[in-house]
């Protein structure tokens, strides 16, 4: 029988969370100054061949969309989120990393079919926050979870012993945006062949940079957790050169500031960025980083 120390695993997993979300927030990582230092162990018998499929639907980072039936509308650094990670040494256990809008909770559940059995108490940080409206409800709900159910490909429900939905979660699906892209249309108008708009988007580091068609562009990526595909581009800054087709660059920058969501196109190598009304702002195709400096 194997024993696995989860405290170090939990802290490491917290530090590895995606940068454009609530986990990348100063002063909230679990450490010896703001959390009870405690070790929990997971024990498990050899798993059946299909054990990995029991936890597969849970794995990944999820934004909390409802708690006890109430829609979660707060966005930004205090939006509740849950991340589930597999534990290789205990195949039927899953690491749970929760963020209630203020503090982190780290623990584990034993997965049996769709049943989720607590494996000890959650370790929590002890930060005080002036604006975390869902903190108490989140803590109460996550400690009552007894099972999960799949709503669709991007959503699950965490349920009580009686089957009542305590929290619904939506998976963030923007990791496909990581990499280099060329803009092909701006508000439905093809980008002229003479103007190459190429950008690199880094979801983990919350950054966008590249060539806006004439000038060098740098900016910040903001993931909007109120929407499964919500994304915004802020603090856009460019150099100040002038070019024959500067109007196309200006149109691109205006459209980029209006982007509210992004989805894959026909494949993961295509992206469609839309405004808050669902109107296409930009379409992009993936390119090799080697092409970024091509004219």
């Amino acid at each position: 029988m194997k024993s696995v120390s989860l405290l170090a695993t939990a802290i490491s997993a917290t530090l590895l969370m995606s940068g454009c979300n609530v986990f990348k927030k100063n002063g909230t990582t679990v450490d010896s100054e703001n959390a009870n230092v405690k070790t929990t162990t997971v024990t498990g018998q050899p798993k059946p061949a299909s054990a990995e499929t029991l936890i597969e639907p849970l794995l990944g980072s999820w934004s909390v969309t409802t708690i006890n039936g109430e829609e979660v509308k707060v966005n930004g650094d205090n939006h509740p989120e849950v991340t589930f990670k597999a534990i290789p040494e205990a195949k039927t256990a899953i690491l749970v990393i929760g963020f209630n809008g203020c503090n982190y909770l780290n623990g584990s559940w034993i997965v049996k079919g769709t049943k989720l059995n607590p494996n000890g108490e959650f370790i929590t940080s002890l930060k005080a926050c002036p604006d975390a409206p869902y903190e108490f409800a989140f803590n109460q709900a996550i400690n009552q979870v007894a099972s999960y159910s799949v709503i669709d490909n991007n959503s699950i429900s965490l349920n009580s012993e009686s089957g009542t939905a305590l929290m619904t979660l939506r998976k963030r699906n923007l990791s496909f945006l990581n990499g280099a892209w060329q803009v092909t249309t701006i508000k439905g108008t093809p980008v002229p062949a003479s103007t190459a708009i190429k950008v690199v988007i880094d979801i983990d580091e919350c950054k966008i940079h590249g060539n806006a068609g004439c000038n060098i562009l740098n900016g910040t990526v903001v993931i909007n957790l109120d929407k499964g595909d919500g994304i915004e581009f802020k603090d856009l800054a460019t150099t100040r050169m002038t070019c024959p087709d500067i109007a196309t660059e200006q149109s691109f920058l205006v459209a980029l500031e209006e982007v509210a969501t992004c989805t894959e196109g026909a494949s993961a190598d295509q992206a469609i960025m839309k405004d808050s009304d669902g109107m296409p702002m930009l379409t992009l195709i993936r390119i090799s980083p080697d092409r970024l400096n091509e004219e």
Side-chain angles (χ1 to χ4, degrees), residues 41-189:
T41 58
V42 174
T43 59
Q45 300 294 331
K47 71 178 183 69
S50 61
E52 290 185 2
T53 64
L54 303 178
I55 67 173
E56 186 65 29
L58 294 168
L59 297 179
S61 295
W62 308 75
S63 59
V64 179
T65 53
T66 69
I67 302 177
N68 297 322
E70 179 184 355
E71 185 178 0
V72 175
K73 294 185 177 181
V74 64
N75 186 42
D77 284 349
N78 58 350
H79 191 115
E81 185 166 344
V82 180
T83 293
F84 300 109
K85 295 182 72 69
I87 304 172
E89 295 84 353
K91 296 295 186 180
T92 58
I94 193 165
L95 182 66
V96 183
I97 305 167
F99 182 77
N100 59 25
C102 178
N103 286 288
Y104 296 98
L105 297 88
N106 293 288
S108 63
W109 291 331
I110 303 298
V111 183
K112 296 181 178 180
T114 59
K115 299 294 184 182
L116 302 172
N117 297 324
N119 186 65
E121 298 180 355
F122 279 94
I123 302 169
T124 181
S125 57
L126 302 173
K127 184 181 172 81
C129 300
D131 183 21
Y134 301 100
E135 180 176 14
F136 177 77
F138 180 100
N139 290 356
Q140 188 177 50
I142 202 167
N143 280 288
Q144 295 175 358
V145 170
S147 67
Y148 78 92
S149 54
V150 176
I151 299 173
D152 56 40
N153 289 338
N154 298 318
S155 303
I156 61 173
S157 175
L158 300 181
N159 308 318
S160 67
E161 188 68 43
S162 65
T164 301
L166 297 168
M167 287 193 279
T168 56
L169 313 178
R170 180 171 53 218
K171 182 167 285 187
R172 293 179 284 104
N173 294 311
L174 291 171
S175 60
F176 78 94
L177 266 177
N178 281 319
W181 298 86
Q182 181 165 344
V183 178
T184 56
T185 69
I186 302 172
K187 296 184 178 180
T189 300

Side-chain angles (χ1 to χ4, degrees), residues 214 242-247:
C214 174
T242 185
C243 301
D245 203 9
I246 192 68

